[in-house]
Amino acid sequence: MRQLFSWQLSVLLVIAMAAGAQVPNSNQNEQSPGSPPEDSVTPPGAGATATATTPATSTPSVTVTGKVPRNEPTLPKLAPDKFTECYGTNNINGSASVGLLGSSEAAINWEGVLICQAELARDTRIVIAKCINRDGKSAPPVAIQACTELLDRKLLEGHDRFYPFVNRAMAYYAQGDKPHALDDYNTAVKMAPKNAKPYYYRGVFYAAQTDVDAALRDFDTALSIDPKLVSALRQRAIIYLSQTNLDAALADFSEAVRLQPKTAALWSDRGHLRILTRDYDGALKDEAEAIRLDPKLARAYFLRGAALGDMGNSSNAVRDIRTAVDLDPSLDRYISTMGKTASIALPPL
């Protein structure tokens, strides 16, 4: 989601020219626009086969806009009577035959029925995968169509129906249709009012619109339901940061680290906050732990370099910043140089 807190940290780095140390030059300090939730929502048992044997009442029709890429395969049609038709086709004229135990049963082509079941299961899996869009390869119109199919055919019942609503909301947002996205998020919340995740995802949506009050309410509600929802703790901490409520932000980041101590990004996030509070020793420890957990986490090197620069350790600061930019060249935009002096802006969370 978009960073909601603008903070510039200038660090004077006296570059040792004899050592040949160079800091990449850039005057670009813009940050990328906000985005909806990064990860898709997977319902329980999504990998299992879901079947629908009776017609289901459809939800209101949805107009899907946007062009589907030519290489996107056609989505299977999940007709509610597909299995019934297949079963009838393989029931040989309703005739009777004598079974092995002497009982009379309809002469059914069981091999054909099994093929029907396999085809229906395959098509259902394809539609579920397109709706979940875990790999991010489904174009928004395809994801919307797939989620709508799941909802129309009622392949998920009860509170689990909020999952396709949330994923469809993400797809709507991805193609710029915010009103439909919010409608689906609201429906998901109404459908599963005791589940933390719909509130969390709607909170992320509100935060991306810079409606921080609405976002904070949803994150508070999500955490009241599930205090261990680390993603909500992190997003709430970012909002607290935007409100300069640094103590509350630190408390949420610390709780997130406690709950997921092996997640490098969380340590780096807390280190980011500690730089803002001038707790450089704490920042160095947090970024060092992040690097230990994930030696390729570029922002951890960058933030450690920023902390070292403010502490006057220029040579090590330059080393870390160069490593960060080597790992992620986009970080170059947060550095501007003038002669032997470099000014650094902290990248957004």
Side-chain angles (χ1 to χ4, degrees):
M1 61 174 285
R2 182 168 55 189
Q3 166 74 356
L4 303 176
F5 183 70
S6 177
W7 183 281
Q8 296 288 322
L9 176 69
S10 295
V11 182
L12 298 181
L13 302 178
V14 181
I15 303 176
M17 300 302 292
Q22 297 290 331
V23 176
N25 183 17
S26 174
N27 292 312
Q28 303 177 37
N29 292 318
E30 297 82 12
Q31 59 192 42
S32 58
S35 60
E38 297 177 357
D39 57 335
S40 59
V41 187
T42 307
T49 301
T51 59
T53 58
T54 58
T57 303
S58 298
T59 55
S61 60
V62 178
T63 301
V64 179
T65 59
K67 294 183 179 179
V68 179
R70 291 183 179 181
N71 60 351
E72 184 78 46
T74 303
L75 201 67
K77 297 294 183 182
L78 296 181
D81 57 353
K82 178 174 181 179
F83 181 75
T84 302
E85 289 183 355
C86 185
Y87 182 89
T89 301
N90 289 283
N91 185 337
I92 305 173
N93 298 323
S95 61
S97 63
V98 178
L100 294 177
L101 299 178
S103 61
S104 177
E105 59 180 15
I108 297 174
N109 179 2
W110 291 108
E111 182 179 353
V113 169
L114 291 175
I115 291 173
C116 290
Q117 289 177 319
E119 289 177 351
L120 182 58
R122 177 201 63 199
D123 290 352
T124 301
R125 284 196 301 271
I126 291 172
V127 174
I128 290 175
K130 292 295 183 182
C131 174
I132 293 173
N133 196 19
R134 184 181 288 109
D135 59 7
K137 294 181 180 180
S138 294
V142 173
I144 292 169
Q145 181 186 354
C147 292
T148 302
E149 277 290 304
L150 294 180
L151 292 168
D152 284 350
R153 305 309 175 201
K154 292 188 176 179
L155 295 179
L156 292 173
E157 296 292 346
H159 290 173
D160 286 347
R161 280 173 62 79
F162 86 81
Y163 288 102
F165 277 109
V166 168
N167 279 296
R168 190 171 69 176
M170 292 180 189
Y172 276 133
Y173 187 94
Q175 66 177 25
D177 189 347
K178 296 178 184 178
H180 273 113
L182 183 56
D183 284 345
D184 273 357
Y185 282 129
N186 288 338
T187 301
V189 167
K190 291 178 182 178
M191 192 162 289
K194 295 183 179 181
N195 190 304
K197 290 184 178 179
Y199 294 100
Y200 163 72
Y201 284 105
R202 189 175 66 177
V204 173
F205 172 86
Y206 281 133
Q209 314 312 309
T210 66
D211 188 349
V212 294
D213 290 336
L216 192 57
R217 284 195 300 270
D218 273 349
F219 294 141
D220 285 345
T221 302
L223 288 166
S224 70
I225 296 170
D226 181 4
K228 296 182 179 181
L229 187 58
V230 169
S231 53
L233 283 167
R234 180 181 184 274
Q235 296 299 341
R236 190 172 69 176
I238 291 173
I239 289 182
Y240 284 147
L241 193 60
S242 76
Q243 299 174 332
T244 64
N245 189 348
L246 302 184
D247 288 340
L250 180 60
D252 274 357
F253 279 133
S254 295
E255 178 64 5
V257 167
R258 186 188 72 81
L259 291 169
Q260 291 186 6
K262 294 184 179 181
T263 302
L266 294 175
W267 288 91
S268 185
D269 286 344
R270 191 172 69 175
H272 181 287
L273 175 60
R274 283 180 162 160
I275 291 174
L276 300 181
T277 61
R278 304 297 191 263
D279 177 11
Y280 297 119
D281 288 336
L284 292 179
K285 290 177 182 177
D286 279 351
E287 300 305 337
E289 180 63 12
I291 291 169
R292 186 188 72 80
L293 291 168
D294 183 0
K296 294 185 178 180
L297 186 59
R299 64 179 290 110
Y301 290 98
F302 192 95
L303 292 172
R304 188 172 69 175
L308 288 167
D310 249 15
M311 295 173 72
N313 190 340
S314 301
S315 58
N316 285 329
V318 170
R319 181 199 63 198
D320 271 353
I321 291 171
R322 291 188 64 188
T323 300
V325 174
D326 286 343
L327 290 169
D328 181 2
S330 70
L331 290 172
D332 178 66
R333 74 180 68 182
Y334 302 106
I335 306 169
S336 58
T337 60
M338 183 176 294
K340 296 182 179 181
T341 300
S343 178
I344 296 175
L346 296 187
L349 289 173

